[in-house]
């Protein structure tokens, strides 16, 4: 992380540094996990309409959770707790997403889509409260610089983790271990999101 101070208040500065580390962990999850969900569906022999549903339905249904998140935030005032719950739901959604389609192959695609809905619901539960918190924490005069840096970190780490995930999957697929490759990628994605949860808690 850069040495530049992000805020004059040491506590706020520490929070912003944790936010950058959260960004890196979150981007790892996206690059090495979320990007390969559709590929996993193809591995499970999904049809074109099923791929379309997987790409659109989870985000569509989960978008309504943002309304619930906004209401819950106003009701409880516990923005940080809602962020942590949403991020944790997203982290642990990787377990059913990876395992249920394999354990119940007859219902593999419906279960994958259902797990993806839960995954997206966790993300959409966190998003409004995270934005509200960051708006309070990031000093106005440093806001542009800070979010530009955060965006660069997310872009770079997403690209690197995407490439490493692709290489891992390619190498294992050549040896006939494609399923194990997806398990490794999704396991690392879950671990990355749990690291993200830790930094969010700080």
């Amino acid at each position: 992380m850069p040495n530049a101070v992000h805020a004059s208040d040491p506590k706020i500065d520490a929070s912003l540094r944790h936010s950058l580390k959260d960004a890196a962990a979150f981007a790892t999850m996206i690059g090495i996990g979320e990007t390969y969900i559709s590929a996993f569906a193809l591995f499970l022999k999904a049809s074109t309409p099923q791929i379309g549903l997987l790409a659109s339905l989870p985000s569509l249904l989960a978008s309504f959770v943002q309304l619930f998140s906004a209401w819950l935030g106003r009701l409880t005032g516990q923005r940080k707790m809602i962020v942590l719950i949403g991020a944790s739901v997203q982290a642990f959604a990787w377990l059913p997403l990876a395992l249920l389609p394999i354990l119940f192959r007859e219902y593999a695609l419906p279960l994958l889509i259902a797990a993806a809905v839960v995954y997206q619901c966790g993300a959409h539960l966190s998003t409004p409260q995270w934005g509200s918190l960051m708006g309070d924490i990031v000093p106005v005069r440093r806001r542009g610089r800070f979010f530009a840096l955060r965006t660069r970190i997310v872009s770079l780490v997403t690209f690197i983790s995407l490439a490493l995930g692709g290489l891992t999957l390619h190498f294992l697929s050549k040896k006939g271990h494609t399923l194990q490759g997806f398990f490794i990628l999704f396991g690392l994605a879950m671990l990355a999101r749990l690291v993200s949860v830790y930094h969010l808690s700080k």
Side-chain angles (χ1 to χ4, degrees), residues 34-198:
E34 185 174 322
T35 309
Y36 290 99
I37 293 176
S38 293
F40 186 50
L42 289 172
F43 172 74
L44 296 172
K45 304 190 185 310
S47 64
T48 301
Q50 287 172 327
I51 292 293
L53 278 176
L54 180 62
S56 58
L57 189 62
S59 295
L60 175 64
L61 295 179
S63 63
F64 294 102
V65 177
Q66 290 204 33
L67 299 175
F68 173 71
S69 175
W71 171 82
L72 189 62
R74 286 195 301 269
L75 179 68
T76 64
Q78 299 294 319
R79 293 180 298 176
K80 181 177 177 180
M81 183 57 65
I82 295 171
V83 169
L84 293 177
I85 290 172
S88 298
V89 167
Q90 193 175 32
F92 289 109
W94 285 106
L95 286 174
L97 193 150
L99 294 177
L100 290 181
I102 300 302
L103 294 176
F104 304 97
R105 292 300 290 262
E106 186 178 354
Y107 307 102
L109 272 302
L111 288 171
L112 179 60
I113 292 171
V117 170
V118 174
Y119 170 84
Q120 290 292 348
C121 283
H124 285 266
L125 182 64
S126 294
T127 299
Q129 306 305 325
W130 181 87
S132 176
L133 276 174
M134 294 303 292
D136 288 347
I137 292 173
V138 183
V140 175
R141 63 190 180 87
R142 295 181 181 272
R143 197 165 289 172
R145 186 187 310 170
F146 175 79
F147 283 109
L149 173 60
R150 199 176 191 281
T151 300
R152 288 199 300 272
I153 290 172
V154 169
S155 299
L156 178 62
V157 176
T158 299
F159 174 76
I160 293 172
S161 56
L162 170 67
L164 291 176
L167 289 172
T168 300
L169 198 57
H170 175 72
F171 175 77
L172 290 173
S173 295
K174 287 181 66 176
K175 294 183 174 295
H177 302 308
T178 305
L179 180 60
Q180 292 87 334
F182 281 114
F183 283 169
I184 290 171
L185 264 57
F186 294 161
L188 290 173
M190 183 177 73
L191 180 61
R193 191 49 162 158
L194 288 174
V195 172
S196 166
V197 170
Y198 167 78

